[in-house]
Amino acid sequence: MAKTRSLHVCSNCGYQSPRWLGRCPDCGEWNTLVEEVVSREVGGRRPAPAAAPVRLQEVVAGQGERIPTGVGEFDRVLGGGLVRGSVVLLGGEPGIGKSSLLLQAMLQLDRSQVPVLLVSGEESPEQVRMRADRISPGPTSMRLITETEAGAVIACLQEHLPQVCVVDSVQMLWSAELSSAPGSVSQIREVTGQLVRTAKTEGIALVLVGHVTKSGDLAGPRVLEHLVDSVLAFEGERGQDYRILRAVKNRFGSTNEVGVFQMTDRGLEGVEDPSELFLESAQALPGASVVAALEGSRCLLAEVQALVVPTGFPSPRHVTRGVDRNRLAMLVAVLSRRAGLALGDCDVFLNVAGGLTLDDPAADLPVALSLASAWRDRPLQSGAAALGEVSLTGEVRHVNRAERRVAELARRGYTRVAVAKRTAAELERSGAALPRELELVPVTSVREAVEELID
Ligand SMILES: Nc1ncnc2c1ncn2[C@@H]1O[C@H](COP(=O)(O)OP(=O)(O)OP(=O)(O)O)[C@@H](O)[C@H]1O
Ligand SMILES: [Mg+2]
């Protein structure tokens, strides 16, 4: 039996101690000692096998064979499916739907005769069965274990050799080689390291579920992100049923793809046309305007709504959901100063329908128009939309991928789109195939956009 020894190592200066200490005696930092396995060999010294370099020319590529999961939006983000021998980390807040998404993928894989294994450290087999019956009823040959000791999990993987293995969650696993508690940084790092090695040597596509801390980091100070091949983030708003899956890191594909899902009682349904989900009404109402926002390489339309009322307080309130507070304050200031709208004494409420968060600069002009429309209590002209960044001087600036955005607006029936002069010129020059009924309105300033689109 191999003997294991662990040491506590300071993550700041590298000081080593056999015991855990609150403060490093060497550098004086607090809470920096992390337990690490130092040797697995009897007698301590590792035999050093001579590593033989391989010729790149002789390496057979194409072994990174893809396994499509059959969940379209998941495959899109992965870059076509799971890669054999690769490790994916799926992070997300509690209850967002990580287990549901992966169970759906595993049931699909199982139906296409791909051997799958679920390591469920959080849910009992009965719970998993209940969820499986809810999201995809029918016979299945999928296997699961509820083991949480990493050595035992690895032994099971080596015996059953699934093509795809899901570990839910990595924070629940622990290694008998370390004395620290499951979920601690040293445990997570050690367990992940062992699993990654197993996945690579056995050619298993491994998906690890990771919980996200309040600050949005994967628990354990991002140690996992370096160990794995891809990191996916599953996001959504509380109380809203849409979910967005993003690739934060991807060694086997682009990080520019997003998957959009809707949570239903039958699990997560892929949303092919996300604009459908976020565009509330096509009716022109005071305070409403549409934003063509980019999510990865996809463009989706969302409705912004503003309400502007004279304040009853000594200092006016700005209440916003879906747009950054500071951005809103800046747009209010620009409208007051550069477009002659006296918003200074008004309470401003702003909302993005569907709970979407906009951090795209192209949302500036539509948000400004929505504020102007609310202030004047007049709707935007029917079929009118806008895109552009607004500068502190009140100018409208060019935004990237304008062609994609204008095309999406046209597809949804918008006919008059205010854009920066440069955007209009570039669209003309590129000979973009825009619909004939679409009229581009080149504007230089917010004031001009307001005059053009609000009667
Ligand atoms: N019967 C149901 N009908 C509709 N939606 C349901 C039903 N049961 C669960 N859900 C949805 O599934 C979500 C839980 O999903 P899931 O357990 O996959 O999340 P998770 O990210 O794995 O959470 P955790 O971090 O707790 O493991 C719930 O928040 C709820 O929205
Ligand atoms: Mg779960």
Side-chain angles (χ1 to χ4, degrees), residues 95 97-100 122-123 131 168-169 209 211:
K98 304 178 291 293
S99 307
S100 307
E122 302 197 336
E123 291 173 8
R131 176 179 283 139
D168 190 358
S169 67
V209 173
H211 292 293

Side-chain angles (χ1 to χ4, degrees), residues 410 414-415 432-440:
Y414 290 87
T415 47
L434 297 174
R436 237 183 318 127
E437 56 279 10
L438 185 92
E439 181 196 350
L440 287 178

Side-chain angles (χ1 to χ4, degrees), residues 222-236:
R222 317 197 72 142
V223 282
L224 296 188
E225 300 193 3
H226 302 288
L227 294 175
V228 300
D229 296 308
S230 312
V231 179
L232 309 184
F234 207 24
E235 301 165 358

Side-chain angles (χ1 to χ4, degrees), residues 117-123 145-155 157 165-196 198 206-211 224:
L117 177 75
L118 170 64
V119 180
S120 177
E122 302 197 336
E123 291 173 8
I145 55 166
T146 49
E147 179 59 58
T148 53
E149 202 282 309
V153 169
I154 288 169
L157 283 177
C165 173
V166 170
V167 175
D168 190 358
S169 67
V170 68
Q171 273 102 345
M172 293 297 288
L173 293 196
W174 58 284
S175 162
E177 293 176 2
L178 294 179
S179 58
S180 33
S184 63
V185 175
S186 19
Q187 282 284 7
I188 294 179
R189 193 165 57 183
E190 176 62 24
V191 161
T192 309
Q194 291 185 18
L195 285 169
V196 169
T198 311
L206 183 65
V207 184
L208 305 174
V209 173
H211 292 293
L224 296 188

Side-chain angles (χ1 to χ4, degrees), residues 18 40 45 54 89 113 127 142 151 201 219 238 240 247 249 275 285 331 338 355 361 372 375 377 396 411 430-431:
R40 290 198 177 78
R45 279 262 309 276
V54 295
L89 177 65
Q113 260 73 55
Q127 279 176 298
M142 187 188 127
T201 46
R238 225 162 253 295
Q240 298 286 346
K249 154 178 171 177
S275 298
L285 294 169
L331 289 171
R338 310 277 173 224
W375 189 80
D377 205 18
V396 175
R411 189 176 75 85
S430 72

